[in-house]
Amino acid sequence: MQQTIRYGSEEIHYQVTFLTRKTSKIVIHIHPDGRVQVDAPEDADLQQIKQAVLKRARWLSLNLFRIREARSEVLPRQYISGESHFYLGKRYPLKIVALANNHPPTVKLLRGQLHVATADRSSEKVRQLLKDWYASHARQVFHRRLNALVPSVLWLNGESLTIKLLTMKKQWGSCSPQGHILLNPHLIKAPTECIDYVIIHELCHLKEHNHSPEFYRLLSLQMPGWKQIKIKLDGMAELLLNY
Ligand SMILES: [Zn+2]
């Protein structure tokens, strides 16, 4: 049964479950999605339960706040100051600075913040400025990493390789047999080792076009620690592709 307490200006809702087994305790749980469940002995009354919940109100409020914070990261982006954005695996708070109308907008990393200076501070404009900034950095960094990795790749013999950016919903990269590598610009938000892993994965496809055992043998040969890196990248995918 759904109940509510007030804590300051906040309403905290909780679900009461009466347990038939012999228990004398009222126990409060917070589920990972932020639902509050209160288990109570069957002879407890709602007023008693409410008192127990009120006693823990501060603790509940704090934990529910933390859960909301963590979950807000996968909610749609608002492009406002203070919002976290990622670059090369690090989290930077966004800082939006107002410019006079005749000044061209700029985006840069400044004192640990992702600084966007613009006359038009609408979320649509900020989103576009960040998108362009990410794309230009992605182009530079992906080429640099490709050039650094190619000399160590055993099966390459001076083929000409090209990188193009393509925004994809669920994929980090792809590779054609002709050596055209497509990389998702959102990958620039991941740590460098994850970028290297995706590039090497695609380079393995130049030799093995599918995910055969031979493909994975090549991948392990070229990057022995790839599994851990893939787990890390998969874990960040929802966060990094949420734009
Ligand atoms: Zn693949």
Side-chain angles (χ1 to χ4, degrees), residues 4 20 36 38 40 78 85 91 96 99 116 143 146 155 161 166 177 182 189 214 224 230-231 236:
T4 303
T20 46
V36 179
V38 181
Q78 293 180 281
H85 288 256
R91 182 196 293 264
I96 315 236
L99 279 187
V116 179
H143 279 108
L146 177 69
W155 57 89
L161 301 166
L166 180 70
L182 290 176
K189 294 164 193 161
E214 179 56 17
K230 182 184 187 309
I231 290 170
M236 301 178 85

Side-chain angles (χ1 to χ4, degrees), residues 165-223:
L165 301 183
L166 180 70
T167 303
M168 293 170 265
K169 276 256 181 298
K170 293 198 152 90
Q171 223 180 314
W172 295 114
S174 74
C175 185
S176 79
Q178 293 76 35
H180 304 305
I181 301 169
L182 290 176
L183 293 178
N184 195 327
H186 292 310
L187 186 59
I188 194 64
K189 294 164 193 161
T192 307
E193 61 178 358
C194 297
I195 298 172
D196 288 1
Y197 157 71
V198 174
I199 293 175
I200 287 174
H201 180 117
E202 299 312 333
L203 292 175
C204 291
H205 279 315
L206 285 177
K207 199 150 196 300
E208 288 295 321
H209 302 307
N210 44 36
H211 295 136
S212 61
E214 179 56 17
F215 170 87
Y216 287 107
R217 199 190 62 81
L218 277 183
L219 184 57
S220 301
L221 195 68
Q222 200 61 47
M223 193 180 218

Side-chain angles (χ1 to χ4, degrees), residues 2-237:
Q2 182 81 18
Q3 302 286 307
T4 303
I5 57 157
R6 289 203 72 85
Y7 179 68
S9 60
E10 191 181 345
E11 283 190 336
I12 299 174
H13 305 286
Y14 57 97
Q15 181 74 32
V16 177
T17 308
F18 290 100
L19 299 180
T20 46
R21 66 185 154 79
K22 250 194 151 33
T23 174
S24 56
K25 272 199 202 147
I26 294 171
V27 181
I28 304 171
H29 312 270
I30 305 178
H31 291 280
D33 62 0
R35 279 180 305 121
V36 179
Q37 184 191 327
V38 181
D39 292 339
E42 59 182 339
D43 59 352
D45 64 53
L46 286 176
Q47 201 49 42
Q48 232 180 322
I49 294 167
K50 190 173 188 168
Q51 285 310 317
V53 176
L54 278 168
K55 261 194 199 161
R56 306 293 302 280
R58 201 183 117 78
W59 171 82
L60 278 166
S61 170
L62 198 66
N63 282 283
L64 292 172
F65 174 78
R66 288 199 184 121
I67 288 173
R68 276 195 303 275
E69 280 276 282
R71 287 168 69 84
S72 73
E73 285 182 345
V74 289
L75 294 176
R77 297 277 155 164
Q78 293 180 281
Y79 301 96
I80 51 173
S81 285
E83 187 173 65
S84 287
H85 288 256
F86 286 82
Y87 179 65
L88 292 177
K90 289 209 186 82
R91 182 196 293 264
Y92 294 93
L94 194 59
K95 169 100 177 160
I96 315 236
V97 181
L99 279 187
N101 270 328
N102 50 353
H103 284 71
T106 59
V107 179
K108 52 188 157 194
L109 286 178
L110 201 64
R111 292 185 289 272
Q113 292 178 320
L114 188 48
H115 235 254
V116 179
T118 170
D120 175 359
R121 284 173 290 156
S122 67
S123 61
E124 193 40 50
K125 181 67 180 177
V126 175
R127 193 187 71 83
Q128 189 57 49
L129 289 169
L130 281 176
K131 193 177 165 208
D132 295 344
W133 183 83
Y134 276 122
S136 95
H137 282 69
R139 227 168 265 124
Q140 291 169 37
V141 173
F142 295 168
H143 279 108
R144 197 160 68 224
R145 292 315 304 157
L146 177 69
N147 291 334
L149 293 166
V150 157
S152 70
V153 178
L154 303 165
W155 57 89
L156 292 176
N157 293 303
E159 289 95 329
S160 72
L161 301 166
T162 63
I163 287 186
K164 282 217 167 97
L165 301 183
L166 180 70
T167 303
M168 293 170 265
K169 276 256 181 298
K170 293 198 152 90
Q171 223 180 314
W172 295 114
S174 74
C175 185
S176 79
Q178 293 76 35
H180 304 305
I181 301 169
L182 290 176
L183 293 178
N184 195 327
H186 292 310
L187 186 59
I188 194 64
K189 294 164 193 161
T192 307
E193 61 178 358
C194 297
I195 298 172
D196 288 1
Y197 157 71
V198 174
I199 293 175
I200 287 174
H201 180 117
E202 299 312 333
L203 292 175
C204 291
H205 279 315
L206 285 177
K207 199 150 196 300
E208 288 295 321
H209 302 307
N210 44 36
H211 295 136
S212 61
E214 179 56 17
F215 170 87
Y216 287 107
R217 199 190 62 81
L218 277 183
L219 184 57
S220 301
L221 195 68
Q222 200 61 47
M223 193 180 218
W226 70 270
K227 268 185 199 159
Q228 284 310 311
I229 300 171
K230 182 184 187 309
I231 290 170
K232 192 181 203 176
L233 182 60
D234 288 348
M236 301 178 85

